[in-house]
Amino acid sequence: MTATTAIGAGLNRIEAAAKVTGAARYAGEIPLDGHAYGSVVQSTIARGQVTMIDADAVLARPGVLAVLTHDNAPRLHRADDTDAELLVLQDDRVRYRGQAVALVIAETLEQARAGAELLDVTYQPEDHDVVFAADHPRLYAPEHVNPNYPTDTSVGDVDAALASAAIVVDATYSTPAEHNNPMEPHAAIAQWDGDRLTVYDSNQGATSVRQALTTLFGLADGAVRVLSEHVGGGFGAKGSTRPHAVLAAMGARFTERPIRVTLTRQQMFAMVGYRTPTIQHMRLGADADATLVALEHTAYSQTSQVLEFAEQTALISRLMYAAPNLRTRHRVVALDVPTPRWMRAPGEAPGSFALESAMDELATACGVDPIELRVRNEPSVEPDSGLPFSSRNLIACLHEGAERFGWASRDPRPGVRRDGRWLIGTGVASSTYPARSAPSTAAATALADGSFVVEITASDIGTGARTALTQIAADELRAPTERVEVRIGDSDFGQAMIAGGSMGTASWSWAIAKACRELLHTLHEIGTVPPEGVTAHADTAEDIKAQAQLSRHAFGAQFAEVRVDVDTGEVRVPRLCGVFAAGRIINAKTGRSQLIGGMTMGIGMALLEEGVMDPQFGDYVNHDLASYHVPVNGDVHDIDVSWIDEHDDRLNPVGVKGIGEIGIVGTAAALANAVWHATGHRHRHLPIRPDRVLTSLA
Ligand code: MOS
């Protein structure tokens, strides 16, 4: 066998040619014989009851096959862990505006959509409550915050420490609702064969969708197969089963034909989750030498009437800086709104905006450089838990970034650099994201011709995961990557972690490494591969259970330069620089793209993205890409991404920390800090819109 150095190389995506030629099929393009189309009808009230659905006129239209409503839809089963958002068309209650109230099924997409638009639904509306506020009377402390962290933590005595601190920063920050907009809208096509269900679905984890559908339709283990070979982005919006997949399966059962349900871009704003708005109260106290004596982070977020989603916004403050007195709290209010969900770096993205902005304000108040402030408050163990870090290279990232960005020559005074209409400033923020792994299974097969096949229910949502896993398998098998085929996105390959929480590659690589090592061991023993090949299976559940308790995180430093137009209030971003310490980077090309993508999304978070709630109608009014703005090419200039060589052997066998999310963490704060440096005005509420900038300059 040939030795390889596949890991780390900037290998092109293995499916690149298939994608650019259209050979790669996405869920909404799978051509099943005789399929029809389902179009979702959404509620037009935020709270109340469906009193009547008159389907006759729609059923009489050409091509219409059925109208599914709560009266005739198949009954679903629920288990303790069933996502209540998936119990579609089971009762007449409307719990948010945009909830599915019917599915119109027709021979063509146009017929289905026309029918859906014409369907006559009568409601009995009730007063709704959709306005999120930090003084909402129904705020409560959830039992835990996502995914399973304590709601509140407290070390020492924050109030006493703040009372005697030389310098105090006490400020409130807010971030708006933000909406996941992967390029590929959610889509599924479902087909029944007796009590067996096959669904091609766009998601971040086929086995989790298989599990949900098995429960909902009361099926036997193994009766559901979910296929998701190519997925056009997710950002968390496809991290759990979404109603479109359930509706497709219901429609297929009802009509006894394969049914395809594709969400429109507009429908996604209510049906696939979004980032909760947050309000965050920060209190930081420091000695005269800029040593933190107290840090308090209180975070407010919203959830729905359907189920509790408690964003872990203040988690970041439990680990970033050494503060002997440290308190974090989360409060949530259930409104008549769609359920918030995961969106790239849930918790850390909004949380880092508040913490890293407050640290910048503290640096100014103490008269120290913001990098020096972070160096002085670098903890030796995780402050909240006392656990040792498996590795922590935040300071190295800050120093490396300062070098690359040219921080040393920075004049700390705000509002003094002007180039014509433009005020110029720079800012810095820290970044972090958890580095966890979750149980997964994999199979590795040696074929008689000397090639290998690896099967794992991994999901490549455009990240390059399939390519990275091929590199890992090739490295383990000591074979060239061309001899290794990695098959993904089929729930029949067995249970595996979703592409989420930046845990995909860490989790899958563990299972793949284990299967490949086992396979090599077997091959060594038997000497030669029999004609039918040899397969080794792996399951990492026990390995992960046996892991030592450590604080495992990736860290990074974000630098930003902004130019602020004093006449229009527009903020431009000529430069971003991110340096990350994220364990072993498997593929230099796709890895860099992930980090650039995260930082680009951070530009959106800082300057553009904002779901605007209409209190009267109870909906996010800007629910399309014409009115909900994300960064486009013209908004993105020089993004310099690099990483520090980090060898952490206490993570997983391949030493992976995960890079899907850390790129967005801290970016918005670095930009807000740069806007302060440019203008002298502190923006504590995102996004930093032109009107807000102009108001501050006036
Ligand atoms: Mo990511 S928001 O954990 O899918």
Side-chain angles (χ1 to χ4, degrees), residues 154-393:
S154 182
V155 176
D157 187 339
V158 162
D159 295 317
L162 283 170
S164 61
I167 295 142
V168 171
V169 167
D170 182 330
T172 298
Y173 305 82
S174 71
T175 61
E178 294 160 5
H179 294 267
N180 283 312
N181 273 291
M183 287 286 282
E184 180 207 16
H186 294 54
I189 183 164
Q191 179 168 37
W192 290 87
D193 175 12
D195 269 339
R196 299 186 65 83
L197 171 64
T198 303
V199 183
Y200 293 84
D201 179 49
S202 179
N203 62 61
Q204 292 173 223
T207 49
S208 73
V209 177
R210 176 189 66 182
Q211 185 52 49
L213 294 175
T214 300
T215 303
L216 288 165
F217 289 92
L219 301 170
D221 280 349
V224 179
R225 183 178 184 192
V226 176
L227 295 131
S228 315
E229 192 186 354
H230 298 289
V231 179
F235 305 125
K238 295 173 184 169
S240 46
T241 312
R242 299 287 72 217
H244 71 279
V246 183
L247 289 164
M250 279 179 151
R253 173 140 266 191
F254 193 86
T255 58
E256 299 183 334
R257 288 176 60 171
I259 296 298
R260 175 188 294 176
V261 174
T262 51
L263 296 187
T264 65
R265 180 65 61 184
Q266 290 90 341
Q267 288 175 331
M268 287 171 60
F269 282 76
M271 296 191 68
V272 306
Y274 58 98
R275 196 194 298 285
T276 175
T278 73
I279 297 168
Q280 302 176 60
H281 183 201
M282 305 296 305
R283 292 198 299 164
L284 272 54
D287 281 344
D289 70 349
T291 307
L292 277 171
V293 295
L295 197 169
E296 183 184 68
H297 190 162
T298 308
Y300 304 90
S301 65
Q302 76 184 27
T303 185
S304 72
Q305 300 286 1
V306 179
L307 60 90
E308 181 181 277
F309 181 92
E311 179 105 345
Q312 66 274 41
T313 314
L315 234 62
I316 190 165
S317 289
R318 296 177 186 171
L319 71 112
M320 281 310 278
Y321 303 113
N325 303 286
L326 173 62
R327 180 157 66 194
T328 62
R329 293 181 291 208
H330 296 88
R331 297 295 178 268
V332 180
V333 59
L335 301 173
D336 302 309
V337 295
T339 314
R341 295 270 166 172
W342 302 298
M343 179 161 163
R344 205 173 202 166
E348 282 78 7
S352 65
F353 169 64
L355 176 62
E356 296 301 312
S357 293
M359 285 294 280
D360 203 60
E361 297 200 47
L362 184 65
T364 305
C366 294
V368 302
D369 179 83
I371 294 177
E372 177 58 23
L373 175 67
R374 288 164 173 89
V375 171
R376 285 190 202 173
N377 291 287
E378 172 73 357
S380 54
V381 294
E382 188 176 77
D384 167 58
S385 66
L387 285 173
F389 292 103
S390 67
S391 58
R392 175 172 166 128
N393 285 302

Side-chain angles (χ1 to χ4, degrees), residues 173 353 357 360-361 364 412-417 423-426 562 564-566 571 669-685 688-689 691-698:
Y173 305 82
F353 169 64
S357 293
D360 203 60
E361 297 200 47
T364 305
R413 292 174 302 150
V416 297
R417 286 151 299 274
L423 288 168
I424 299 162
T426 53
V562 299
V564 180
D565 186 321
V566 296
V571 179
L671 283 159
N673 297 342
V675 171
W676 170 81
H677 187 236
T679 64
H681 294 281
R682 177 63 59 180
H683 288 266
R684 300 192 181 95
H685 307 288
I688 305 173
R689 298 185 314 245
D691 62 306
R692 285 177 164 160
V693 174
L694 281 181
T695 303
S696 74
L697 291 175

